[in-house]
Amino acid sequence: MNEYTIKDDEAAIQSNLKTWLNRPPSEELNPEVIQVKQVENTTSHIILFQLDNGDYGYARLLKGLNGKFKIDHAGYGSGFFNSSYQVIETNKGEYLILYGENPDLTVDHVLATALSGEYDITFDISDDQRFLQSAKIPSDVERAFPVDLTFYDASDILIEEFLYQ
């Protein structure tokens, strides 16, 4: 229980995320928490944050039995449309997390396709200037990571592909 010390409030999450990101040998980072949400009915919560340089990032909080959190993963830096993804393991299976920016609401939806060919998931981001979404990956998938991201407009016209390299 001593690991789970972060209170379930915005100020505590903001402060602890800054401490986590600034562990040595990191540069001085100043994240602004934009959104925190629970991944469906799991013990995992995800954070969307933005750094002073405009990059978006993602962090995962795990909720302990005492109702408090601990951060177990964080990353930042992004690809096309200042967006990226992460595959996380939760107590209810694997989830694909998509996060980033949709300037001028240019993108209607994003298709995430596993390189293994085992699944694809469509995320509707048509109303979100900044987005943080999750989707459960089918339980029979053997290789959930990596994925290619394909961005489409409202007319289903390809805007850009962000292919895993």
Side-chain angles (χ1 to χ4, degrees), residues 35 37 39 46-48 56-58 79-88 95-102 107-113 121-126 128 130-135 147-151 162:
Q35 185 178 12
K37 65 194 243 183
V39 178
I46 48 180
I47 302 171
L48 174 65
Y56 285 88
Y58 141 91
F80 185 72
F81 274 121
N82 208 0
S83 61
S84 194
Y85 72 94
Q86 192 73 33
V87 173
I88 65 169
Y95 282 79
L96 180 63
I97 309 300
L98 181 70
Y99 63 91
E101 181 178 37
N102 186 4
V107 179
D108 180 74
H109 59 283
V110 179
L111 176 64
T113 305
I121 298 170
T122 300
F123 293 92
D124 178 356
I125 62 167
S126 58
D128 302 322
R130 302 177 192 169
F131 54 90
L132 176 64
Q133 295 189 19
S134 63
V147 302
D148 289 333
L149 300 178
T150 309
F151 298 80
F162 182 66

Side-chain angles (χ1 to χ4, degrees), residues 5 8 15 21 34 40 47 52 57 61 74 86 91 101 103 121 125 131 138 165:
T5 59
D8 189 358
S15 171
L21 291 175
I34 296 167
E40 288 191 359
I47 302 171
D52 289 339
L61 297 167
Q86 192 73 33
N91 62 321
E101 181 178 37
I121 298 170
I125 62 167
F131 54 90
Q165 302 293 328

